[in-house]
Amino acid sequence: MRARTVVLVPGLGSTPGEWDAVVAALPPDVPVVVVDPADAPRLRSRADWSPEAVAARLAARVAAAARPLLLVGHSSGGLHVQALLHTDGGHDSAGAVLVDASHEEAVRLAPALLSDVGRAAAELVLATGVTTLAGPWLRALGVRAASVRRRDRMAPAAVRAVYASRAWASSTLDAWFGHGPLQAGVLAWQRERGAPGVPVRLLVGAAGIGRGRAGWIALQRDLARRLGAPEPTLLDDAGHLVTVDRPDAIADAVRALLGVDETPAAR
């Protein structure tokens, strides 16, 4: 069953423009929907970040897309994809590609009161407007720290337009505080509901050395087992921002599940 629409779900703090090189390498006859994390209402409560709520929001965003869907999630976007796969909305999916997806074997949530205090402090900082100045700088720092290429694929003007916006800052803040509850909920669903009944492939940014790299690869292998997926593909020339380092590898994984030839490397 070949997918009729590819859905790309960026991770925490990311933006659709980061996926331009991936989109360009995909078959032109397959529509692509790139979810914009900043195009969301304020989501301040833990209930907003339950897997049920996250799956419902993602399903609503792609309601008009032709089925079946091929879901692609990077980092925390992988949790959004898993949430949808484990609901009735997953019946409309032909498969999924998880790109250096967030995963933990166990989650211990902070007490609600402590989380509320932290959020209140963060909201005060957000209200000052300082994030509009810091956002582009944080993006540049993130690219240097989390990629091998260490040079953004987005044009400087595009980076400023997105990362200096209040929408980006507020949605990233919400996702930061919602990450723990979402991860805990997805882990519970993995235990209760088992592997989804669609093919899943994992790509892992495996650059680096030492115990940190080994631990991350072990976690990704654990995730693959839980999802009934084959051994993850390790990208030794990519960091966490695989969209920056190896967009061609993401496109190749998508094209493989679509049943079309691989695309030439696009570095």
PDB file of all heavy atoms in Angstrom, residues 208-230:
ATOM      1  N   GLY A 208      30.124  11.111  16.589  1.00  0.00           N
ATOM      2  CA  GLY A 208      30.673  11.247  17.937  1.00  0.00           C
ATOM      3  C   GLY A 208      31.285   9.952  18.422  1.00  0.00           C
ATOM      4  O   GLY A 208      31.316   8.935  17.724  1.00  0.00           O
ATOM      5  N   ILE A 209      31.776   9.997  19.645  1.00  0.00           N
ATOM      6  CA  ILE A 209      32.419   8.834  20.242  1.00  0.00           C
ATOM      7  C   ILE A 209      32.024   8.761  21.716  1.00  0.00           C
ATOM      8  O   ILE A 209      31.409   9.681  22.257  1.00  0.00           O
ATOM      9  CB  ILE A 209      33.965   8.933  20.141  1.00  0.00           C
ATOM     10  CG1 ILE A 209      34.464  10.212  20.824  1.00  0.00           C
ATOM     11  CG2 ILE A 209      34.423   8.875  18.685  1.00  0.00           C
ATOM     12  CD1 ILE A 209      35.981  10.318  20.874  1.00  0.00           C
ATOM     13  N   GLY A 210      32.364   7.639  22.320  1.00  0.00           N
ATOM     14  CA  GLY A 210      32.222   7.539  23.767  1.00  0.00           C
ATOM     15  C   GLY A 210      30.889   7.010  24.236  1.00  0.00           C
ATOM     16  O   GLY A 210      30.050   6.544  23.469  1.00  0.00           O
ATOM     17  N   ARG A 211      30.690   7.132  25.558  1.00  0.00           N
ATOM     18  CA  ARG A 211      29.525   6.543  26.201  1.00  0.00           C
ATOM     19  C   ARG A 211      28.216   7.230  25.802  1.00  0.00           C
ATOM     20  O   ARG A 211      27.169   6.592  25.736  1.00  0.00           O
ATOM     21  CB  ARG A 211      29.704   6.604  27.720  1.00  0.00           C
ATOM     22  CG  ARG A 211      30.865   5.767  28.225  1.00  0.00           C
ATOM     23  CD  ARG A 211      31.085   5.944  29.711  1.00  0.00           C
ATOM     24  NE  ARG A 211      29.915   5.512  30.485  1.00  0.00           N
ATOM     25  CZ  ARG A 211      29.843   5.617  31.809  1.00  0.00           C
ATOM     26  NH1 ARG A 211      30.855   6.141  32.491  1.00  0.00           N
ATOM     27  NH2 ARG A 211      28.766   5.192  32.442  1.00  0.00           N
ATOM     28  N   GLY A 212      28.284   8.536  25.517  1.00  0.00           N
ATOM     29  CA  GLY A 212      27.070   9.226  25.105  1.00  0.00           C
ATOM     30  C   GLY A 212      26.523   8.663  23.806  1.00  0.00           C
ATOM     31  O   GLY A 212      25.320   8.413  23.680  1.00  0.00           O
ATOM     32  N   ARG A 213      27.406   8.444  22.834  1.00  0.00           N
ATOM     33  CA  ARG A 213      26.987   7.871  21.555  1.00  0.00           C
ATOM     34  C   ARG A 213      26.454   6.458  21.755  1.00  0.00           C
ATOM     35  O   ARG A 213      25.388   6.095  21.233  1.00  0.00           O
ATOM     36  CB  ARG A 213      28.160   7.863  20.581  1.00  0.00           C
ATOM     37  CG  ARG A 213      27.857   7.173  19.248  1.00  0.00           C
ATOM     38  CD  ARG A 213      29.095   7.178  18.343  1.00  0.00           C
ATOM     39  NE  ARG A 213      28.811   6.608  17.037  1.00  0.00           N
ATOM     40  CZ  ARG A 213      28.880   5.319  16.756  1.00  0.00           C
ATOM     41  NH1 ARG A 213      29.226   4.445  17.713  1.00  0.00           N
ATOM     42  NH2 ARG A 213      28.605   4.868  15.537  1.00  0.00           N
ATOM     43  N   ALA A 214      27.179   5.651  22.504  1.00  0.00           N
ATOM     44  CA  ALA A 214      26.758   4.263  22.718  1.00  0.00           C
ATOM     45  C   ALA A 214      25.407   4.195  23.427  1.00  0.00           C
ATOM     46  O   ALA A 214      24.547   3.373  23.093  1.00  0.00           O
ATOM     47  CB  ALA A 214      27.815   3.514  23.520  1.00  0.00           C
ATOM     48  N   GLY A 215      25.215   5.074  24.412  1.00  0.00           N
ATOM     49  CA  GLY A 215      23.950   5.081  25.135  1.00  0.00           C
ATOM     50  C   GLY A 215      22.785   5.473  24.249  1.00  0.00           C
ATOM     51  O   GLY A 215      21.695   4.891  24.351  1.00  0.00           O
ATOM     52  N   TRP A 216      23.009   6.461  23.372  1.00  0.00           N
ATOM     53  CA  TRP A 216      21.941   6.905  22.479  1.00  0.00           C
ATOM     54  C   TRP A 216      21.586   5.808  21.472  1.00  0.00           C
ATOM     55  O   TRP A 216      20.399   5.567  21.194  1.00  0.00           O
ATOM     56  CB  TRP A 216      22.356   8.180  21.762  1.00  0.00           C
ATOM     57  CG  TRP A 216      21.308   8.741  20.854  1.00  0.00           C
ATOM     58  CD1 TRP A 216      21.412   8.974  19.514  1.00  0.00           C
ATOM     59  CD2 TRP A 216      19.978   9.165  21.214  1.00  0.00           C
ATOM     60  NE1 TRP A 216      20.264   9.508  19.021  1.00  0.00           N
ATOM     61  CE2 TRP A 216      19.355   9.632  20.033  1.00  0.00           C
ATOM     62  CE3 TRP A 216      19.285   9.189  22.408  1.00  0.00           C
ATOM     63  CZ2 TRP A 216      18.052  10.118  20.023  1.00  0.00           C
ATOM     64  CZ3 TRP A 216      17.970   9.670  22.408  1.00  0.00           C
ATOM     65  CH2 TRP A 216      17.373  10.123  21.225  1.00  0.00           C
ATOM     66  N   ILE A 217      22.591   5.143  20.940  1.00  0.00           N
ATOM     67  CA  ILE A 217      22.324   4.055  19.993  1.00  0.00           C
ATOM     68  C   ILE A 217      21.560   2.929  20.685  1.00  0.00           C
ATOM     69  O   ILE A 217      20.626   2.344  20.109  1.00  0.00           O
ATOM     70  CB  ILE A 217      23.646   3.539  19.385  1.00  0.00           C
ATOM     71  CG1 ILE A 217      24.243   4.616  18.470  1.00  0.00           C
ATOM     72  CG2 ILE A 217      23.418   2.239  18.614  1.00  0.00           C
ATOM     73  CD1 ILE A 217      25.629   4.285  17.957  1.00  0.00           C
ATOM     74  N   ALA A 218      21.913   2.631  21.936  1.00  0.00           N
ATOM     75  CA  ALA A 218      21.195   1.587  22.680  1.00  0.00           C
ATOM     76  C   ALA A 218      19.727   1.972  22.864  1.00  0.00           C
ATOM     77  O   ALA A 218      18.828   1.120  22.750  1.00  0.00           O
ATOM     78  CB  ALA A 218      21.864   1.353  24.029  1.00  0.00           C
ATOM     79  N   LEU A 219      19.469   3.234  23.155  1.00  0.00           N
ATOM     80  CA  LEU A 219      18.085   3.688  23.299  1.00  0.00           C
ATOM     81  C   LEU A 219      17.323   3.565  21.978  1.00  0.00           C
ATOM     82  O   LEU A 219      16.143   3.169  21.963  1.00  0.00           O
ATOM     83  CB  LEU A 219      18.053   5.141  23.774  1.00  0.00           C
ATOM     84  CG  LEU A 219      18.283   5.400  25.260  1.00  0.00           C
ATOM     85  CD1 LEU A 219      18.348   6.898  25.530  1.00  0.00           C
ATOM     86  CD2 LEU A 219      17.183   4.760  26.107  1.00  0.00           C
ATOM     87  N   GLN A 220      17.964   3.893  20.881  1.00  0.00           N
ATOM     88  CA  GLN A 220      17.311   3.792  19.586  1.00  0.00           C
ATOM     89  C   GLN A 220      17.020   2.338  19.223  1.00  0.00           C
ATOM     90  O   GLN A 220      15.982   2.032  18.619  1.00  0.00           O
ATOM     91  CB  GLN A 220      18.168   4.457  18.511  1.00  0.00           C
ATOM     92  CG  GLN A 220      18.275   5.975  18.657  1.00  0.00           C
ATOM     93  CD  GLN A 220      16.945   6.663  18.444  1.00  0.00           C
ATOM     94  OE1 GLN A 220      16.325   6.523  17.383  1.00  0.00           O
ATOM     95  NE2 GLN A 220      16.497   7.412  19.431  1.00  0.00           N
ATOM     96  N   ARG A 221      17.909   1.442  19.596  1.00  0.00           N
ATOM     97  CA  ARG A 221      17.649   0.027  19.356  1.00  0.00           C
ATOM     98  C   ARG A 221      16.492  -0.469  20.220  1.00  0.00           C
ATOM     99  O   ARG A 221      15.687  -1.296  19.787  1.00  0.00           O
ATOM    100  CB  ARG A 221      18.920  -0.783  19.627  1.00  0.00           C
ATOM    101  CG  ARG A 221      19.962  -0.609  18.521  1.00  0.00           C
ATOM    102  CD  ARG A 221      21.280  -1.268  18.837  1.00  0.00           C
ATOM    103  NE  ARG A 221      22.151  -1.253  17.658  1.00  0.00           N
ATOM    104  CZ  ARG A 221      23.478  -1.295  17.695  1.00  0.00           C
ATOM    105  NH1 ARG A 221      24.099  -1.381  18.877  1.00  0.00           N
ATOM    106  NH2 ARG A 221      24.187  -1.281  16.586  1.00  0.00           N
ATOM    107  N   ASP A 222      16.398   0.052  21.434  1.00  0.00           N
ATOM    108  CA  ASP A 222      15.265  -0.290  22.285  1.00  0.00           C
ATOM    109  C   ASP A 222      13.964   0.201  21.657  1.00  0.00           C
ATOM    110  O   ASP A 222      12.950  -0.515  21.651  1.00  0.00           O
ATOM    111  CB  ASP A 222      15.456   0.325  23.675  1.00  0.00           C
ATOM    112  CG  ASP A 222      14.278   0.064  24.596  1.00  0.00           C
ATOM    113  OD1 ASP A 222      14.091  -1.103  25.008  1.00  0.00           O
ATOM    114  OD2 ASP A 222      13.521   1.013  24.899  1.00  0.00           O
ATOM    115  N   LEU A 223      13.973   1.417  21.119  1.00  0.00           N
ATOM    116  CA  LEU A 223      12.789   1.954  20.463  1.00  0.00           C
ATOM    117  C   LEU A 223      12.412   1.097  19.261  1.00  0.00           C
ATOM    118  O   LEU A 223      11.221   0.811  19.038  1.00  0.00           O
ATOM    119  CB  LEU A 223      13.044   3.399  20.034  1.00  0.00           C
ATOM    120  CG  LEU A 223      11.908   4.096  19.269  1.00  0.00           C
ATOM    121  CD1 LEU A 223      10.630   4.126  20.085  1.00  0.00           C
ATOM    122  CD2 LEU A 223      12.334   5.510  18.874  1.00  0.00           C
ATOM    123  N   ALA A 224      13.407   0.675  18.476  1.00  0.00           N
ATOM    124  CA  ALA A 224      13.123  -0.164  17.312  1.00  0.00           C
ATOM    125  C   ALA A 224      12.446  -1.463  17.731  1.00  0.00           C
ATOM    126  O   ALA A 224      11.487  -1.916  17.085  1.00  0.00           O
ATOM    127  CB  ALA A 224      14.421  -0.448  16.547  1.00  0.00           C
ATOM    128  N   ARG A 225      12.920  -2.065  18.816  1.00  0.00           N
ATOM    129  CA  ARG A 225      12.301  -3.309  19.292  1.00  0.00           C
ATOM    130  C   ARG A 225      10.847  -3.077  19.700  1.00  0.00           C
ATOM    131  O   ARG A 225       9.971  -3.873  19.387  1.00  0.00           O
ATOM    132  CB  ARG A 225      13.098  -3.868  20.477  1.00  0.00           C
ATOM    133  CG  ARG A 225      14.430  -4.479  20.101  1.00  0.00           C
ATOM    134  CD  ARG A 225      15.030  -5.251  21.253  1.00  0.00           C
ATOM    135  NE  ARG A 225      15.366  -4.390  22.375  1.00  0.00           N
ATOM    136  CZ  ARG A 225      16.550  -3.808  22.541  1.00  0.00           C
ATOM    137  NH1 ARG A 225      17.489  -3.969  21.627  1.00  0.00           N
ATOM    138  NH2 ARG A 225      16.789  -3.052  23.589  1.00  0.00           N
ATOM    139  N   ARG A 226      10.599  -1.976  20.380  1.00  0.00           N
ATOM    140  CA  ARG A 226       9.235  -1.692  20.828  1.00  0.00           C
ATOM    141  C   ARG A 226       8.281  -1.474  19.655  1.00  0.00           C
ATOM    142  O   ARG A 226       7.086  -1.767  19.768  1.00  0.00           O
ATOM    143  CB  ARG A 226       9.229  -0.438  21.712  1.00  0.00           C
ATOM    144  CG  ARG A 226       9.959  -0.606  23.050  1.00  0.00           C
ATOM    145  CD  ARG A 226      10.066   0.728  23.761  1.00  0.00           C
ATOM    146  NE  ARG A 226      10.864   0.651  24.973  1.00  0.00           N
ATOM    147  CZ  ARG A 226      10.406   0.888  26.198  1.00  0.00           C
ATOM    148  NH1 ARG A 226       9.131   1.202  26.374  1.00  0.00           N
ATOM    149  NH2 ARG A 226      11.198   0.814  27.253  1.00  0.00           N
ATOM    150  N   LEU A 227       8.799  -0.944  18.558  1.00  0.00           N
ATOM    151  CA  LEU A 227       7.956  -0.612  17.415  1.00  0.00           C
ATOM    152  C   LEU A 227       7.960  -1.699  16.347  1.00  0.00           C
ATOM    153  O   LEU A 227       7.347  -1.531  15.284  1.00  0.00           O
ATOM    154  CB  LEU A 227       8.411   0.713  16.797  1.00  0.00           C
ATOM    155  CG  LEU A 227       8.333   1.937  17.721  1.00  0.00           C
ATOM    156  CD1 LEU A 227       8.860   3.167  17.017  1.00  0.00           C
ATOM    157  CD2 LEU A 227       6.914   2.166  18.214  1.00  0.00           C
ATOM    158  N   GLY A 228       8.653  -2.803  16.607  1.00  0.00           N
ATOM    159  CA  GLY A 228       8.716  -3.873  15.622  1.00  0.00           C
ATOM    160  C   GLY A 228       9.483  -3.489  14.377  1.00  0.00           C
ATOM    161  O   GLY A 228       9.218  -4.005  13.284  1.00  0.00           O
ATOM    162  N   ALA A 229      10.446  -2.585  14.541  1.00  0.00           N
ATOM    163  CA  ALA A 229      11.213  -2.067  13.407  1.00  0.00           C
ATOM    164  C   ALA A 229      12.535  -2.819  13.279  1.00  0.00           C
ATOM    165  O   ALA A 229      13.039  -3.390  14.254  1.00  0.00           O
ATOM    166  CB  ALA A 229      11.486  -0.578  13.585  1.00  0.00           C
ATOM    167  N   PRO A 230      13.128  -2.831  12.085  1.00  0.00           N
ATOM    168  CA  PRO A 230      14.459  -3.424  11.935  1.00  0.00           C
ATOM    169  C   PRO A 230      15.525  -2.600  12.633  1.00  0.00           C
ATOM    170  O   PRO A 230      15.244  -1.519  13.173  1.00  0.00           O
ATOM    171  CB  PRO A 230      14.663  -3.447  10.416  1.00  0.00           C
ATOM    172  CG  PRO A 230      13.759  -2.387   9.885  1.00  0.00           C
ATOM    173  CD  PRO A 230      12.581  -2.341  10.810  1.00  0.00           C
TER     174      PRO A 230
END
